[in-house]
Each structure stands twice: as structure tokens, then as C-alpha cells.
């Protein structure tokens, strides 16, 4: 059975903060807008227990923030298709074709807002304790560990930054890293090493985690000597890298060596009519507020692009 072909003004791929914000603005500009999401709406922030750094909302659950923004986008007129995975994408100046499990879309413009996937802690218990002791955003969830014992897994700049954030809350910190030393920039390394009440476990990996309903302890192992020990922990913050969700677009869209889409503050990619918003693009800061800003910029510039295309077509006729 052949899939239906659907034409529309704007297709937004990804329903995180950037994608939902883009949908809200695009729909308010009266564009025929569809937001595609292959999983749960909201992206990584959906799992944040409490968000306290979003302007205007002193304290809000990540899921509630997502729900509110989703409702705004839908009420403005955007259409949301959840759990429909993109199978292929052809994105050129001449034509844009995106195929999913359910349909083939032919939009006039596209906003790529699929974000990134954090590399997950590679232990069997990761799913069981996710958001119940295993976390991926210290800015979102670090405050939950006031006066508690916490470990950061990783050794790069992100891990060093996580240590600094968590040092404001935790009474005891561990850094667990497989390598002999941190790989963060020298200044970041030194700042981390100078933190009080912090123990560095190099050449070490986590083998397993245990607890009742919340994480209580982990077993770690020296990767060379194979010596094991048990750590009593209240929380783990994982910073072992991220994977931009860009593999489907690499044929047409220019990517950075990191895998992120090369796009500046205008969110414009190398292909006219294709924009990148949020964590998926090259940028120095990745926060909820910058994702929302990208969604706004991408949607408004997509509308300008479509208006220009229509005006050009009318003149040619």
C-alpha cells in the first residue's frame, strides 16, 4: 500500500523546546505547520523533575513546561504527529521530501530541531534508575541533591562543568572517568581539581547500580587492575558525550566534525529553506532559553523565506 503524499508550508522535525516554539510562532504566522516527533513530545527536558531557570516560571516540572508549550502550539494551529519516525530526507533548494512510517511530506520549508541524544550510562540498571538517581542535566536536577553524595561520570568540559554546578549542592562529589586524567581544557581541569570534598576515580568505570526505588549505591571497577569497590551514592550525573540527531541529513546538509548542523544565529543551513534550531546546531551555549530563541528565529525566518518564494513565483507568472 502506497503512503499518502502531503504538501505543506512548513515541516518541523523534533518536538522539544525548539521545535514546539517554532511550531507556535509558525502557526501564529498562519503557516500550514506540522511538527514531527518520533518519541515522546518534549525531548530531554521532559524528564527533568524541576526546572528553576526558565524565565517567568520560578519552579516547574519539565513535563508541565512541555505540556504548556505543546498546548500553545496546538491552539495556535500547528499539527503534531507523535511517534512517527523519519525514514529518509531529501533536502535541496529545488525540493524537500521527508518520508516517515506513515506518509511522504513535501514541505516548502523545513526546520530541523531533533536535538541530541546523551550517551547513556552503559549499565543494565540505567533505565530503572533514570530520573531516580541517574540524570543527564545537572542544571535541571542538581538542586535535588542538596547535602547528598553525588558522582559525575565523564572527564571532558561538560563533566568539569557538572562538577562545578553540583559542588553548590552536594556534600560529597566523585568524578568517575575511564581515562588516566580528565580530557577537559586545562583551566576547566584545574577548576575541577580545586573543588573541595571531591574524590577523583580515574581509570574507573561503573559496573552496576542498586537501590530500592531510588539509587543508593554503585559498584565501580578499575579498568586495569579489575579491583572493585562499592560507593554509596544518592545520584549520578552522566556526561560522557552527546550524539546530534543528524545522520539522516548528512547527504544534503553541511555538518560540523562534531555532527552538529552548521548554522549561526539566523539558524540558516547551507540549503535555502532549511533551518536548524536548538541543540542540533553549532552553538556555544545549549539551554532551554537558547532553544526557545532558536525556535522563534527559525520560524520567523522560515516565514520570510516562504513569503519571498511566493512573491518571486507571482512575479514570474
Amino acid at each position: 500500500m502506497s503512503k499518502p503524499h502531503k504538501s505543506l508550508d512548513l515541516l518541523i522535525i523534533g518536538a522539544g523546546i525548539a521545535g514546539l516554539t517554532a511550531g507556535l510562532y509558525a502557526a501564529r504566522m498562519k503557516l500550514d505547520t506540522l511538527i514531527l516527533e518520533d518519541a515522546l513530545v518534549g525531548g530531554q527536558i521532559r524528564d527533568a523533575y524541576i526546572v528553576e531557570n526558565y524565565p517567568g516560571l520560578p519552579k516547574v516540572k519539565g513535563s508541565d513546561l512541555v505540556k504548556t508549550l505543546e498546548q500553545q502550539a496546538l491552539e495556535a494551529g500547528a499539527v503534531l504527529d507523535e511517534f512517527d519516525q523519519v525514514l529518509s530526507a531529501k533536502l535541496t533548494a529545488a525540493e524537500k521530501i521527508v518520508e516517515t512510517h506513515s506518509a511522504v511530506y513535501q514541505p516548502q520549508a523545513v526546520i530541523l530541531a531533533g536535538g541530541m541524544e546523551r550517551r547513556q550510562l552503559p549499565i543494565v540498571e540505567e533505565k530503572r534508575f533514570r530520573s531516580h538517581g541517574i540524570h543527564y542535566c545537572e542544571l535541571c536536577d542538581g538542586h535535588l541533591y542538596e547535602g547528598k553524595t553525588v558522582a559525575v561520570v565523564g572527564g571532558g568540559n561538560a563533566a568539569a562543568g557538572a562538577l562545578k554546578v553540583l559542588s553548590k549542592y552536594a556534600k560529597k562529589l566523585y568524578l568517575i572517568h575511564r581515562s588516566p586524567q580528565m580530557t577537559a581544557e586545562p583551566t576547566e581541569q584545574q577548576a575541577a581539581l580545586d573543588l573541595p570534598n571531591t574524590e577523583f576515580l580515574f581509570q574507573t568505570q561503573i559496573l552496576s547500580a542498586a537501590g530500592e526505588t531510588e539509587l543508593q549505591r554503585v559498584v565501580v571497577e578499575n579498568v586495569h587492575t579489575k579491583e572493585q569497590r562499592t560507593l554509596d551514592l544518592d545520584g549520578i550525573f552522566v556526561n560522557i558525550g552527546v550524539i546530534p540527531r543528524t545522520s539522516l541529513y548528512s547527504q544534503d546538509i553541511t555538518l560540523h566534525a562534531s555532527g552538529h548542523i552548521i548554522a549561526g544565529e539566523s539558524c540558516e543551513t547551507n540549503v535555502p529553506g532549511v533551518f536548524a534550531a536548538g541543540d542540533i546546531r553549532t552553538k556555544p551555549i545549549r539551554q532551554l532559553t537558547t532553544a526557545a530563541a532558536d525556535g522563534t528565529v527559525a520560524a520567523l525566518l522560515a516565514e520570510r523565506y516562504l513569503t519571498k518564494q511566493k512573491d518571486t513565483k507571482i512575479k514570474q507568472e
Side-chain angles (χ1 to χ4, degrees), residues 70-84:
E70 176 185 355
Q71 184 177 350
Q72 284 182 285
L74 294 177
E75 289 180 352
V79 175
L80 177 62
D81 188 356
E82 199 172 13
F83 300 111
D84 195 6

Side-chain angles (χ1 to χ4, degrees), residues 211-224:
E212 297 300 325
T213 58
E214 304 287 330
L215 176 75
Q216 293 177 310
R217 58 193 171 276
V218 299
V219 175
V220 299
E221 177 187 72
N222 183 288
V223 297
H224 293 300

